[in-house]
Amino acid sequence: MFHHIRGDLAAHGGDWGAQGFWALVVYRFGRWRYSVRPALLRKLFSFIYKLLFKLVQIVTGIELPCEVRLGKNFVIDHFGGIVISGYASFGDNCRIRNGVVVGLRRVSEPCAPEIGNNVDIGAGAKLLGNIRIGNNVAIGANAVVLCDVPDNHVAFGVPAVIKPRKALACTQT
């Protein structure tokens, strides 16, 4: 657990005050509690986790249940309005911003997105349903993604339009 927390702190630039970091600390605690063997102690830790989860949810506006599978270097850039389904999974080096929803398309179908490595999700984006987001993908702000996005692509718009990702050249004037 502490190894992951150190990694989360490094991913957030060493900023102890980052609200995304604190949501991840509670997430890591929630995952760790499953490894506690005495059932009575595990139930005590589960109660503490539920209190901390609700506190983080109220204070930061981030809903990150411990059932989500997260890769290394997961970063929550900004707080507020972030909802992630417990069925979702993220690869390594993913970044999300405020207002992002990663969840179910229909309540009757408990399938959430599977997100690859090096994915950048813009503010207000919605990723819904049983979809796969490939590696090295950028999801634009306020995009609504309802279908698979292949590796090295960009998704933007409502509903999302998917285009190949081109190398961006930055020019200074």
Side-chain angles (χ1 to χ4, degrees):
M1 175 173 77
F2 294 109
H3 170 72
H4 290 296
I5 291 173
R6 281 191 297 275
D8 294 335
L9 181 61
H12 282 83
D15 183 6
W16 283 89
Q19 292 174 333
F21 168 69
W22 287 106
L24 285 167
V25 168
V26 172
Y27 165 83
R28 300 293 182 198
F29 176 74
R31 299 282 293 187
W32 170 81
R33 73 186 159 101
Y34 288 125
S35 67
V36 175
R37 286 293 151 227
L40 189 59
L41 191 57
R42 186 172 50 252
K43 288 180 184 194
L44 172 65
F45 286 143
S46 292
F47 177 72
I48 293 168
Y49 165 73
K50 289 176 184 183
L51 288 176
L52 291 172
F53 177 78
K54 190 51 76 176
L55 177 68
V56 163
Q57 188 179 19
I58 291 168
V59 171
T60 66
I62 299 171
E63 186 175 324
L64 179 63
C66 65
E67 291 79 19
V68 176
R69 287 171 291 152
L70 295 181
K72 297 180 299 192
N73 300 321
F74 184 78
V75 175
I76 300 173
D77 251 353
H78 306 287
F79 71 96
I82 297 172
V83 178
I84 300 174
S85 168
Y87 295 103
S89 67
F90 289 82
D92 296 337
N93 306 312
C94 292
R95 179 177 299 268
I96 64 174
R97 291 170 182 78
N98 61 314
V100 169
V101 175
V102 178
L104 311 178
R105 189 168 181 180
R106 293 178 192 86
V107 177
S108 60
E109 299 172 11
C111 299
E114 178 184 330
I115 298 169
N117 298 325
N118 305 312
V119 176
D120 192 338
I121 304 173
K126 312 296 183 250
L127 289 73
L128 305 172
N130 188 16
I131 61 174
R132 184 184 184 291
I133 308 300
N135 298 321
N136 306 311
V137 169
I139 307 293
N142 296 317
V144 177
V145 183
L146 302 173
C147 60
D148 292 351
V149 179
D151 292 352
N152 303 308
H153 278 66
V154 176
F156 57 91
V158 180
V161 175
I162 300 167
K163 301 271 184 168
R165 190 173 191 166
K166 296 178 183 170
L168 300 175
C170 184
T171 58
Q172 296 285 335
T173 55

